[in-house]
Amino acid sequence: KTVRFGGTLTDILLKYKKGETTDFELLKHQLSDPDIKDAQIINWLHEFRASVAYLTKELEQLVSILLKLPWLRRSQEVVEEYLGFLGNLVSAQTVHLRPCLQMIVSQFVPSRITVREDDVDISDSDDDDENLPENFNTCHKALQTVARYVPSTPQFLMPILVESFPFINKSERTLECYVHNLLRITVYLPPLRLQILELVIEKLLKLDVSTPQQDIEDAEEAANNSDSGEKSTEEGLFDMEEDEERKGNKVVSCDTERMAHPLAERLDILMTILFTYIREVCYPDGKLDISNTKDLYRDLVSVFDKLILPTHASCHVQYFMFYICSFKLGLAEAFLDHLWKKLHDPNNPSVIRQTAGSYIGSFLARAKFIPVVTVKACLDLLVNWMHKYIDNQDTGDNAYCDVALHGPFYSTCQAVFYTLVFRHQQLLDGNLRKGLSYLQSLNFERIVMCQLNPLKICIPSVVNLFAAITRKYQLVFCYTIIERNNRQFIPVVRSGTGDHLVQTCTNPLDSFFPFDPYMLKRSKKTIDPLYQFWEELSAEDLENLKKPIEKGTSEDEDDDFLKGETPQNDGVVGIAPNSYESNIQSPVSSIGSPPDCYVPYP
């Protein structure tokens, strides 16, 4: 096998161009030998490096064989020689740039191996290959080499990255490796970062909408009830030596952290990688890099506008914005301002404006890192806009309750009500009289009593708690309007329960709460410390809701509402304003929205 045939490489190629193919075919055969030795590869590559001028378009079949050489799992000498050959090839013959890039990108996932089961050969990915981290390092080195010689590499590379993305049903390890390598490319090819983030988040979004919250809950419940309890463990993200700017991370996977739903498991792993990437870009040396963070924020907002905002009822992917905004208050305020501009711009489609309203309300309610002063500034902005909207409609022909006409207004009302349900305690803390004075200045009575009738359109679970809180603090009495609205709905008989009447479930806005509780077990560890959860109401708290505050409350008297806890539901008052923590399901048309229920009013 060490014998050479046919003379020098140059002679063989020149003979081939003259029509003599015997030596050329022998050359291809030798290069395709599965048992080819390291020394042979090095000798051949050395000759090819000196003869790249002859490797024109008509020799692409030979180049294809060279690109299939098993160079990655060879000695360091072979790797160095091959990298040198790649550099020479793409600089002399750019016609071969695309095949070279395809070869490198194909190595971003574990290699395929053949497994024999019941006398049948099955192709599968080699997820247990211990050399993966080293191989990936070498691939990125090769990509950097090519990019150094051919400045136009990014524009040729991006379509290849898109078409090579593994199908979502591929193994978790395959998806994990590919996404990790994609994000690693952004470190040394910054012009591709926006496109790569867009690609990754688009795939995450497809996973997210393919795994509705109810499916995840059902799978977890079935797994918990299963007697077997035997679930396979799988290695998490590999330890990897990164470039100077970034270091690898490891996603540890164990029985208790695995998601029972297979697609949710993939989404969880990939969300963990995305959160880690955001953290490492913004905190390169353990300290927040303002410039890096602002640049990444702009890219993520661009992806948010293009992909997330138009997607209805995604559950988890949008949390990348929640996470990056937690790094600095200025980013959270910038995000709120961005959403506000979307909401009040009449040139935007109504559905986008309504979704922006949902994001504002959910973000203000759920983000622990947003201080009260920012909440008040947002409430002022939103409520002032609502009052102006009412002013404009009162004199027109459209001053009646209609979702199609006033969708953005109702969405804004719901955002304000939802924020007040979660934040009223903080708004009143410290100085009750001053806090009440502020809430009274918002003039909720005018909003609730207006002809547009927002209490009829907003989700009942939010309306019920808003009504209980505003009644307690004597801001506005909503129950008369709620009862009038209820009489306009025809009751239905629940099957199997005799003559028990219940209200029909309604969600005219088809709204959802984007930052409802995060359910993916691994990646939720990143979100939970930043997140305002909804806690149970005690019987005493329920009683407190029914008692108006004393008129003569002293200025420094502490508010006793809920004893410092976030307002919460039970069967008497209503349902928590999110769909994840209730046992009553919302209709299919409003997945992700708080469910409705019958509530007895005082």
Side-chain angles (χ1 to χ4, degrees):
K1 291 184 181 298
T2 59
V3 178
R4 288 285 304 276
F5 300 97
T8 66
L9 178 64
T10 305
D11 292 340
I12 296 172
L13 297 179
L14 288 174
K15 283 181 185 178
Y16 175 73
K17 293 197 174 185
K18 291 176 183 177
E20 298 177 29
T21 61
T22 307
D23 289 344
F24 184 76
E25 292 300 324
L26 192 58
L27 168 65
K28 290 199 298 182
H29 180 73
Q30 290 184 42
L31 289 171
S32 303
D33 184 358
D35 298 322
I36 191 168
K37 302 288 192 296
D38 284 11
Q40 288 176 290
I41 294 178
I42 291 172
N43 288 337
W44 278 121
L45 289 175
H46 192 70
E47 286 198 56
F48 273 107
R49 287 182 70 176
S51 307
V52 287
Y54 298 100
L55 298 178
T56 51
K57 173 73 173 172
E58 58 264 27
L59 290 176
E60 61 184 347
Q61 188 182 14
L62 178 61
V63 172
S64 174
I65 292 172
L66 287 168
L67 293 178
K68 290 175 183 173
L69 279 173
W71 64 283
L72 265 179
R73 294 159 185 81
R74 299 281 179 155
S75 66
Q76 188 60 32
E77 291 78 10
V78 172
V79 170
E80 293 298 331
E81 192 67 32
Y82 198 87
L83 291 177
F85 163 70
L86 278 181
N88 286 14
L89 179 64
V90 295
S91 58
Q93 304 286 352
T94 51
V95 68
H96 300 304
L97 175 62
R98 183 174 166 81
C100 287
L101 294 175
Q102 285 174 321
M103 180 275 295
I104 295 170
V105 172
S106 71
Q107 303 292 338
F108 281 169
V109 294
S111 57
R112 306 296 294 179
I113 56 172
T114 302
V115 182
R116 195 162 185 82
E117 288 185 12
D118 299 328
D119 297 326
V120 178
D121 288 341
I122 299 173
S123 176
D124 198 5
S125 59
D126 186 9
D127 292 346
D128 298 323
D129 185 353
E130 294 179 356
N131 295 319
L132 279 179
E134 187 180 340
N135 292 345
F136 293 153
N137 287 339
T138 308
C139 286
H140 286 289
K141 195 173 179 182
L143 198 52
Q144 287 172 279
T145 301
V146 172
R148 190 163 60 246
Y149 285 110
V150 186
S152 60
T153 294
Q155 69 189 67
F156 287 93
L157 177 61
M158 197 60 220
I160 294 169
L161 295 178
V162 173
E163 66 193 31
S164 302
F165 204 105
F167 187 59
I168 58 172
N169 281 338
K170 292 290 185 184
S171 75
E172 293 121 351
R173 180 72 158 164
T174 298
L175 288 164
E176 179 182 14
C177 292
Y178 194 78
V179 169
H180 188 91
N181 284 314
L182 281 187
L183 294 175
R184 190 171 169 183
I185 290 172
T186 66
V187 176
Y188 54 84
L189 291 179
L192 284 183
R193 184 168 73 181
L194 177 57
Q195 290 171 274
I196 286 176
L197 285 171
E198 201 172 290
L199 171 62
V200 169
I201 290 169
E202 180 187 10
K203 299 297 182 181
L204 289 178
L205 200 54
K206 286 182 179 178
L207 273 173
D208 200 9
V209 297
S210 301
T211 51
Q213 164 260 334
Q214 188 56 46
D215 288 2
I216 296 176
E217 286 183 347
D218 291 346
E220 289 298 320
E221 186 176 351
N224 290 337
N225 294 338
S226 171
D227 292 331
S228 64
E230 293 291 332
K231 288 180 281 185
S232 61
T233 59
E234 185 159 330
E235 289 297 319
L237 189 64
F238 38 81
D239 285 320
M240 178 191 284
E241 295 252 333
E242 293 286 8
D243 301 274
E244 296 84 22
E245 296 92 337
R246 196 160 82 80
K247 291 186 178 179
N249 66 305
K250 190 172 185 179
V251 180
V252 180
S253 181
C254 64
D255 281 342
T256 56
E257 287 187 334
R258 281 187 69 84
M259 300 295 297
H261 195 296
L263 294 184
E265 170 69 4
R266 289 164 174 75
L267 181 61
D268 194 8
I269 291 171
L270 300 186
M271 287 300 293
T272 304
I273 294 172
L274 182 59
F275 288 153
T276 304
Y277 171 78
I278 292 171
R279 177 83 186 179
E280 289 174 353
V281 169
C282 298
Y283 288 83
D285 302 311
K287 293 181 181 177
L288 184 66
D289 185 310
I290 299 297
S291 177
N292 284 3
T293 305
K294 284 182 178 177
D295 290 343
L296 181 60
Y297 169 82
R298 291 188 193 101
D299 285 347
L300 291 177
V301 164
S302 175
V303 177
F304 175 84
D305 283 349
K306 184 174 182 179
L307 298 177
I308 305 295
L309 206 54
T311 304
H312 180 70
S314 58
C315 298
H316 300 99
V317 180
Q318 58 265 27
Y319 270 91
F320 68 80
M321 286 307 307
F322 191 94
Y323 184 51
I324 194 171
C325 286
S326 71
F327 294 164
K328 192 170 178 60
L329 178 58
L331 296 177
E333 291 176 341
F335 183 50
L336 286 164
D337 183 60
H338 179 76
L339 292 169
W340 160 245
K341 287 173 181 172
K342 294 275 183 191
L343 172 62
H344 81 86
D345 183 357
N347 295 316
N348 285 327
S350 180
V351 65
I352 295 295
R353 297 175 67 191
Q354 288 174 219
T355 306
S358 297
Y359 270 93
I360 290 174
S362 199
F363 192 58
L364 287 174
R366 295 293 195 171
K368 270 187 182 178
F369 48 85
I370 296 182
V372 177
V373 63
T374 304
V375 174
K376 289 174 76 170
C378 289
L379 286 177
D380 286 339
L381 203 62
L382 295 171
V383 171
N384 285 337
W385 180 80
M386 286 154 61
H387 282 299
K388 286 179 184 174
Y389 191 92
I390 293 168
D391 288 340
N392 294 335
Q393 295 301 323
D394 274 352
T395 56
D397 297 330
N398 296 328
Y400 56 89
C401 185
D402 190 329
V403 177
L405 288 174
H406 310 296
F409 170 78
Y410 294 125
S411 183
T412 308
C413 289
Q414 185 160 280
V416 170
F417 298 165
Y418 189 70
T419 302
L420 188 71
V421 165
F422 270 86
R423 295 282 195 162
H424 73 277
Q425 183 75 41
Q426 295 171 24
L427 291 168
L428 296 169
D429 269 351
N431 189 323
L432 183 58
R433 184 173 293 172
K434 193 174 179 181
L436 281 174
S437 176
Y438 169 73
L439 291 178
Q440 287 163 356
S441 73
L442 297 177
N443 195 1
F444 284 124
E445 185 171 10
R446 180 171 185 251
I447 295 168
V448 166
M449 302 288 185
C450 75
Q451 293 294 312
L452 303 181
N453 194 1
L455 296 185
K456 181 177 181 180
I457 301 299
C458 295
I459 292 174
S461 51
V462 175
V463 169
N464 293 336
L465 284 162
F466 173 77
I469 290 163
T470 51
R471 175 180 180 273
K472 175 179 173 59
Y473 294 103
Q474 299 184 13
L475 299 171
V476 58
F477 190 81
C478 302
Y479 291 111
T480 306
I481 297 169
I482 292 173
E483 287 172 350
R484 185 184 70 209
N485 292 336
N486 286 341
R487 286 195 292 272
Q488 296 174 10
F489 289 109
I490 302 173
V492 296
V493 178
R494 182 184 294 157
S495 60
T497 56
D499 296 328
H500 181 51
L501 292 179
V502 294
Q503 275 185 284
T504 49
C505 294
T506 56
N507 180 6
L509 275 175
D510 198 23
S511 56
F512 70 108
F513 298 97
F515 298 117
D516 263 358
Y518 193 92
M519 300 179 68
L520 306 175
K521 294 178 184 176
R522 290 183 199 81
S523 44
K524 81 192 299 282
K525 293 176 184 175
T526 302
I527 299 300
D528 282 0
L530 313 169
Y531 191 78
Q532 177 62 62
F533 286 94
W534 186 260
E535 298 166 0
E536 286 298 328
L537 274 180
S538 66
E540 184 180 359
D541 295 331
L542 289 172
E543 286 303 313
N544 286 337
L545 269 181
K546 299 175 185 177
K547 296 177 185 174
I549 56 168
E550 298 284 330
K551 282 289 185 182
T553 305
S554 63
E555 188 167 324
D556 60 349
E557 182 182 341
D558 286 336
D559 172 23
D560 63 351
F561 181 58
L562 303 189
K563 308 298 181 191
E565 293 184 357
T566 310
Q568 188 56 2
N569 72 301
D570 85 358
V572 178
V573 173
I575 299 223
N578 67 64
S579 56
Y580 294 126
E581 295 166 330
S582 70
N583 296 319
I584 303 173
Q585 299 308 319
S586 54
V588 176
S589 63
S590 60
I591 289 173
S593 306
D596 192 5
C597 71
Y598 177 75
V599 179
Y601 301 108

